[in-house]
Amino acid sequence: MTDLADLDTPCLVVDRSKVAANAERLKSRLARLGVPLRLHVKTPKSLEAVELAVGPGRPPITVSTLKEAEQFFAAGYRDILYAVGFSPAKATRARALVARGCNLTIITDSLETARAISGFRVLIEIDTDGHRAGVKPEDEALIPLARALRESGNTVAGVMTHAGGSYDARSQATLRAIAEQERAGAVRAATRLREAGFFEGATPAPQAPVVSVGSTPTAHFAERLDGVTEVRAGVFVFFDLVMAGIGVCRIDDIALSVLATVIGHRADKGWTLIDAGWMALSRDRGTAKQPLDQGYGLVCDLDGRPIPDLIVVDTHQEHGVIAHRSGGKAPALPVGTRLRIRPNHACATGAQHEGYNVVEGGRKVLARWERFSGW
């Protein structure tokens, strides 16, 4: 059995027990609210991590790339929502999945796309917070878009939305309000479509067959999900510093870290240098606008315990610069010291690596989980 101290660095470490606990926390919460989870697999991109989070049986999942859809379909997942605005240029590849037996659903908010595609099961993307894409729940364009999809030979299966604005929340009250705004907006859009003659015969009224909502923050703070048929979330599997800064999790809930080694110092600047730069940590600075800026990552010892006020303040391709968050000098860590860096954004950091070294509350490496990348 390998010890973390023996691994080549930089490399990715995941704590299996924390993944299991994070997944159980959200699934139990959604069960109390009476709505199933459709896990977003874009964060782990690993068959083992996803199975640990959702259990056996290959339940419905969400993907953000067709590569993810293909990989998870090959592993036995059949009900897949491709939750990125669909490009007609990807129609041939998507149809190939459907022809092999995949129950693939795509999304769009575009009239041009609606007229250019045919034969797909489609959710209309709804914008409930002005954060990104989607049709506003009361927008006059909603009904013509649905009509164009149907006239082109597609099935309008319902609506979906993503409350990305929740990432800017700074209080639990705000998170609860955003979650309700997300729910109400999606249900309202579905109701309008039903009143316009779509989903005839679907029950229970006034929902569409699918009312899909989700983000990790709103999934954890929604107080009611009336009219919602599924919740999508993904980053909760690992959590990260952005989620901790919002108040969705504790630092200790973060299951993911990058193992790095001290390679030098700049005593005149109070810097400690490590062998994990932006190629290992990513350039994500998601905490920069939060009350506590964590730089490029929070520095922890080999057991995963944060070292007070040490963060990665700068990155180069293969160098990370550790310093005191105040800008003052910190004691130099000896060359060869192994550290674990908790990331700002689990998805971005994970994408820099080919696999996970799996531990369970300690230093012993119990398994290796491969992950994939690409589109």
Side-chain angles (χ1 to χ4, degrees), residues 155-173:
T155 299
V156 180
V159 299
M160 64 81 68
T161 189
H162 170 64
S166 62
Y167 279 53
D168 298 323
R170 296 294 178 265
S171 72
Q172 293 187 6

Side-chain angles (χ1 to χ4, degrees), residues 107-315:
I107 72 168
T108 191
D109 64 354
S110 166
L111 190 60
E112 292 174 281
T113 297
R115 290 169 173 164
I117 61 174
S118 180
F120 286 101
R121 186 173 188 267
V122 185
L123 300 183
I124 295 177
E125 185 171 10
I126 305 301
D127 174 16
T128 59
D129 62 4
H131 177 72
R132 196 164 60 193
V135 180
K136 293 286 187 183
E138 300 290 352
D139 196 317
E140 293 181 0
L142 177 63
I143 306 306
L145 174 58
R147 189 173 296 120
L149 282 165
R150 189 166 61 183
E151 289 172 351
S152 295
N154 301 286
T155 299
V156 180
V159 299
M160 64 81 68
T161 189
H162 170 64
S166 62
Y167 279 53
D168 298 323
R170 296 294 178 265
S171 72
Q172 293 187 6
T174 301
L175 284 166
R176 286 191 289 268
I178 293 173
E180 173 55 21
Q181 177 177 287
E182 176 187 44
R183 184 205 69 82
V187 171
R188 174 57 184 155
T191 300
R192 287 186 61 211
L193 287 168
R194 189 180 190 90
E195 290 171 346
F198 294 88
F199 324 123
E200 292 179 2
T203 58
Q207 291 107 269
V210 176
V211 179
S212 180
V213 306
S215 73
T216 285
T218 55
H220 285 81
F221 282 89
E223 294 181 302
R224 55 188 287 250
L225 291 170
D226 310 43
V228 170
T229 62
E230 64 182 29
V231 170
R232 307 178 325 280
V235 75
F236 74 92
V237 171
F238 294 151
F239 280 131
D240 53 30
L241 292 171
V242 168
M243 290 296 106
I246 295 171
V248 180
C249 70
R250 304 167 302 163
I251 293 293
D252 193 51
D253 295 324
I254 300 172
L256 193 70
S257 59
V258 174
L259 184 67
T261 303
V262 173
I263 58 173
H265 307 93
R266 278 294 304 269
D268 58 322
K269 295 179 179 290
W271 292 350
T272 293
L273 305 179
I274 57 174
D275 62 353
W278 56 257
M279 285 289 287
L281 300 173
S282 89
R283 283 197 179 278
D284 194 283
R285 289 284 286 109
T287 61
K289 295 180 181 179
Q290 293 184 338
L292 184 62
D293 185 354
Q294 302 281 21
Y296 289 89
L298 182 66
V299 180
C300 302
D301 65 17
L302 191 54
D303 293 308
R305 295 175 301 225
I307 301 175
D309 291 317
L310 285 191
I311 61 174
V312 180
V313 297
D314 199 6
T315 57

Side-chain angles (χ1 to χ4, degrees), residues 312-342:
V312 180
V313 297
D314 199 6
T315 57
H316 306 275
Q317 184 165 336
E318 301 296 349
H319 294 74
V321 179
I322 291 174
H324 196 280
R325 68 170 69 252
S326 70
K329 293 186 178 181
L333 300 169
V335 169
T337 300
R338 293 297 178 96
L339 301 168
R340 288 165 70 177
I341 313 300
R342 296 188 192 266

Side-chain angles (χ1 to χ4, degrees), residues 30-70:
L30 294 179
R32 290 194 299 271
L33 293 172
V35 179
L37 171 70
R38 181 187 282 269
L39 177 68
H40 207 316
V41 302
K42 69 173 183 176
T43 300
K45 295 197 180 189
S46 156
L47 297 175
E48 295 90 343
V50 167
E51 183 164 351
L52 177 60
V54 300
R58 302 301 195 252
I61 59 171
T62 311
V63 301
S64 60
T65 70
L66 285 178
K67 176 73 171 291
E68 292 167 23
E70 291 160 349

